[in-house]
Amino acid sequence: MTTTTVSLCVPTCDRPDLLVRCIDSCLAQTHTGIEIVIGDDSGDERTAQVIAERNGNDARIDYRRNLPALGQARNVASLFERARGDKILLIHDDDFLLADAIARLLAPWQRHPDLEVAFGDQYETGHDGRIDYAASRRMNHAYHRTPAAAGLQALPGRVGIVQMFPNNGWLANADLVRRIGYDAQYGTCCDYVFGTRLCLAARRVFYVNAHVSCYRITDVSVSQATRHTMNASSIAAWQFLERLALPRELEAARKLAMKRLVPIVVSLHARNHEARAGFALALGNLYAYRFGLSVRLYYHLLMIWKASRNQRAETILLRGVPDEPPAVDTTRARMP
């Protein structure tokens, strides 16, 4: 029996301490037909030295330092091009796999040979790699990964749109992955854009209701560093989804995804003193707030009101014009 070769693509940048756990988890896979393709955007030699010392003689590892650095999206795209396996799995350097991840993800192909994509559940961990089980349950439920949803997906495109598709813990046919590519246009949202386009293009997508990977929350994660700014992935995801051309049968999925994204984007506008944009977005998408029945709407309106006051105060300060004419103190006698 021919063993399916899987290319595990690992983009990394200046995080050798976290990368070690990621590589170890790849090497520990129960499925033996693997190669580990690493693209290093680091600004120094630490990552190269760690890999040379720990894995320098391992023929399964294909390491390359990018000089100059390519950036996240171009780095991932280059890994897809270098991959020689029949299937591709993407795992970011701060995340890691469970030992049977590939075996679990490959299993559906035995029953469905024409399958193109499979994915599973994620655990959420802290910086130390310890699993937070309660947070993991909430995350998977929020992204519609539930026992009732297991198996072949009736609408493959829906999987990507509603963010059921994870940023790691997925496996796909290499030719499909390369055809979709990895677009740098959407910055920190490139994972979501890729997953959506992959699922829209796939004819058959399978959800394995089992944990296969660990998503690590760290202070150095791009998503964490930008989550309160206008560069947050939620802003880019909303913009991408709003402009995405979809068939009629997927409009319900778009609305479901927007129901989650819109309140996040409204709050980001308020946090970043974009009061008018936040107010317009909230009023234009009241379904996301259950048409006024959600307390969250009034909290966000309060945030917007405060942002509006701050904007006005900053404008007055910059112009050097007082908000109101100075009051005249009539109790004092005039100076001679």
Side-chain angles (χ1 to χ4, degrees):
M1 182 177 175
T2 304
T3 301
T4 301
T5 304
V6 176
S7 296
L8 295 101
C9 295
V10 186
T12 187
C13 182
D14 292 321
R15 294 191 281 208
D17 54 326
L18 299 180
L19 177 64
V20 165
R21 177 81 180 267
C22 179
I23 293 175
D24 286 350
S25 77
C26 294
L27 292 172
Q29 290 302 300
T30 57
H31 179 82
T32 56
I34 66 168
E35 67 163 357
I36 303 170
V37 189
I38 303 171
D40 181 13
D41 262 3
S42 298
D44 56 38
E45 300 288 339
R46 289 180 302 151
T47 299
Q49 290 171 356
V50 167
I51 292 176
E53 291 169 3
R54 291 174 55 90
N55 314 107
N57 297 320
D58 198 320
R60 293 171 293 177
I61 293 180
D62 175 9
Y63 168 81
R64 184 178 299 176
R65 175 104 180 268
N66 300 321
L67 293 171
L70 299 176
Q72 181 184 355
R74 288 179 59 211
N75 191 7
V76 173
S78 73
L79 293 172
F80 290 168
E81 291 302 319
R82 287 165 53 197
R84 296 169 295 175
D86 307 304
K87 303 195 186 308
I88 286 176
L89 182 152
L90 176 66
I91 182 77
H92 295 285
D93 61 354
D94 52 345
D95 300 331
F96 52 97
L97 299 171
L98 302 188
D100 59 353
I102 294 177
R104 282 186 178 273
L105 292 172
L106 274 175
W109 264 273
Q110 296 176 10
R111 286 172 284 156
H112 309 284
D114 58 345
L115 190 65
E116 293 181 284
V117 179
F119 68 97
D121 295 333
Q122 295 173 301
Y123 280 125
E124 184 176 305
T125 83
H127 189 94
D128 60 3
R130 292 184 182 179
I131 294 172
D132 185 331
Y133 290 98
S136 300
R137 285 192 295 272
R138 290 193 298 269
M139 174 177 63
N140 287 300
H141 186 269
Y143 293 136
H144 315 283
R145 303 176 202 136
T146 63
L152 284 172
Q153 302 300 296
L155 292 172
R158 179 184 182 278
V159 171
I161 293 168
V162 302
Q163 284 189 273
M164 193 175 174
F165 192 77
N167 64 330
N168 67 52
W170 57 264
L171 192 66
N173 291 346
D175 57 347
L176 176 62
V177 170
R178 279 191 283 267
R179 178 153 50 92
I180 298 305
Y182 213 79
D183 192 348
Q185 178 183 352
Y186 288 92
T188 55
C189 184
C190 50
D191 276 330
Y192 174 64
V193 172
F194 167 77
T196 300
R197 288 177 171 163
L198 185 76
C199 292
L200 285 169
R203 293 185 299 274
R204 307 196 87 184
V205 173
F206 195 100
Y207 164 47
V208 178
N209 182 220
H211 291 88
V212 297
S213 65
C214 292
Y215 172 62
R216 195 193 301 247
I217 304 292
T218 74
D219 293 337
V220 295
S221 300
V222 174
S223 58
Q224 292 298 303
T226 62
R227 67 194 180 107
H228 291 319
T229 75
M230 294 306 288
N231 291 322
S233 58
S234 298
I235 294 276
W238 167 69
Q239 292 171 339
F240 166 73
L241 196 55
E242 187 180 47
R243 299 167 188 166
L244 185 62
L246 291 173
R248 181 175 298 179
E249 64 267 22
L250 288 175
E251 285 299 339
R254 189 204 310 260
K255 193 168 184 178
L256 182 61
M258 285 295 200
K259 190 174 182 179
R260 190 187 71 81
L261 282 171
V262 164
I264 298 172
V265 176
V266 169
S267 68
L268 284 169
H269 279 303
R271 285 177 184 275
N272 290 278
H273 311 297
E274 298 284 348
R276 184 175 297 178
F279 185 66
L281 185 61
L283 290 190
N285 296 273
L286 283 175
Y287 69 88
Y289 294 97
R290 292 190 293 147
F291 296 98
L293 296 178
S294 170
V295 174
R296 196 177 188 185
L297 172 63
Y298 303 101
Y299 175 66
H300 284 172
L301 290 177
L302 178 62
M303 289 179 67
I304 290 167
W305 177 74
K306 288 181 177 179
S308 179
R309 283 180 60 85
N310 290 339
Q311 279 181 284
R312 188 161 177 256
E314 288 174 5
T315 301
I316 290 166
L317 187 63
L318 288 171
R319 290 179 178 174
V321 179
D323 189 11
E324 297 176 357
V328 177
D329 188 350
T330 57
T331 63
R332 293 188 180 183
R334 290 184 180 181
M335 295 289 290

